[in-house]
Amino acid sequence: MKDGPHIARIAALIGDSARAEVLTALMADRALTATELADVAGVTKQTISAHLAKLLDAGLLSVESQGRHRYFRLADRDVAQLLESLMNVAFRAGAVRLRASPREPALRRARVCYDHLAGEVGVQLHEALLRQGYLHAADGGLALTTAGAEWFAQQGIDTAVVERQRRMLCRPCLDWSERRHHLGGALGAALLQRLVERGWARRDKDSRVVHFSAEGELALRAWTAPAAGEAASNDTAHRPRLANAKTKAQVGL
């Protein structure tokens, strides 16, 4: 007996090279026109129209009309999570591009994973939050601690409000380039949004790359560095701060 959803159709849609490029480009959580997506996929406008129609019909994309233009984006976070998981498997299996993009080093350092921060910086931040006891690993996922709620409040993020969203508050998201986890879920999205609002980070217009200002770099160093005198050992998991008071004052936390 054959049980469960039939995945072959979805797998076949994602498996096409042009459609895979479209879906990957939309992982930046930005809406793009058919013309822009045709350029990304390296196909004609007529061809991209057929591809987009199939992705829309399968529920992998959504579309919004504004004036003369139609803007396409991923249908929801479940699709983004599926794509990120496929990227992890592809990277582990050695299915990498033969020619790296000039943006590749920046992409590996800091990028958008749909709506939260990924790459080396995202992984370092996630591990610092765990080390300082602001997040706690629980049942294969993550839980926010009382100290964590206080720290996020200091950053201008009301975790009680974030928790009311119809999505998981926080979850570990496996990073394809670092092979370790970064912070996903509503809390990860809120943190990236706050970094952008403060002017500490900005998203690249044409890619998933995230750039940090000098002030943002200083804040990240304060957040991810162990407190003064703190030993780099397992007992750091229960320390209550990401940086000492002097460093916090320097970055205005």
Side-chain angles (χ1 to χ4, degrees):
M1 180 179 293
K2 299 178 180 179
D3 299 319
H6 186 54
I7 67 173
R9 176 170 175 250
I10 299 299
L13 284 170
I14 297 175
D16 176 86
S17 179
R19 291 193 289 267
E21 293 293 347
V22 166
L23 293 168
T24 300
L26 293 174
M27 278 289 288
D29 193 26
R30 282 197 173 120
L32 297 175
T33 66
T35 300
E36 291 169 326
L37 291 171
D39 185 58
V40 166
V43 298
T44 65
K45 293 181 180 178
Q46 291 76 14
T47 301
I48 201 65
S49 294
H51 285 310
L52 293 174
K54 291 179 180 178
L55 292 171
L56 285 168
D57 182 61
L60 296 176
L61 296 185
S62 62
V63 63
E64 180 180 350
S65 297
Q66 186 172 341
R68 297 170 53 193
H69 299 288
R70 301 175 76 211
Y71 292 89
F72 298 85
R73 64 169 65 246
L74 297 183
D76 52 36
R77 296 181 185 89
D78 284 345
V79 176
Q81 187 173 343
L82 169 63
L83 295 173
E84 186 71 13
S85 296
L86 286 173
M87 289 177 189
N88 280 310
V89 174
F91 187 78
R92 186 175 69 243
V96 296
R97 299 180 190 276
L98 296 179
R99 295 185 61 184
S101 161
R103 290 194 182 96
E104 189 77 13
L107 191 69
R108 287 171 176 266
R109 183 178 183 276
R111 66 180 179 274
V112 172
C113 176
Y114 190 59
D115 62 358
H116 53 271
L117 184 64
E120 178 185 352
V121 174
V123 167
Q124 289 176 349
L125 184 53
H126 171 257
E127 291 179 350
L129 292 169
L130 283 169
R131 183 173 66 245
Q132 303 302 334
Y134 294 158
L135 296 175
H136 174 66
D139 299 325
L142 289 175
L144 178 69
T145 66
T146 301
E150 293 174 357
W151 183 83
F152 276 97
Q154 291 173 6
Q155 315 316 317
I157 299 171
D158 188 337
T159 56
V161 173
V162 176
E163 197 168 9
R164 289 198 289 269
Q165 297 182 25
R166 290 188 174 181
R167 62 184 297 193
M168 189 174 294
L169 176 64
C170 51
R171 67 176 181 85
C173 185
L174 187 60
D175 196 281
W176 63 259
S177 61
E178 293 298 303
R179 306 308 302 153
R180 306 201 303 276
H181 292 98
H182 56 251
L183 177 61
L187 201 54
L191 185 55
L192 176 58
Q193 182 180 351
R194 187 62 179 142
L195 288 169
V196 172
E197 289 172 349
R198 282 183 165 175
W200 291 356
R202 64 176 177 84
R203 296 172 56 176
D204 192 279
K205 181 180 179 182
D206 300 317
S207 77
R208 298 169 64 189
V209 172
V210 174
H211 301 279
F212 285 88
S213 65
E215 186 180 9
E217 293 282 1
L218 181 60
L220 287 171
R221 285 197 295 270
W223 288 359
T224 58
E230 181 178 307
S233 61
N234 291 336
D235 65 357
T236 60
H238 302 292
R239 298 301 178 95
R241 293 291 175 258
L242 285 173
N244 59 41
K246 181 178 178 181
T247 308
K248 284 186 176 182
Q250 289 174 342
V251 297
L253 299 181

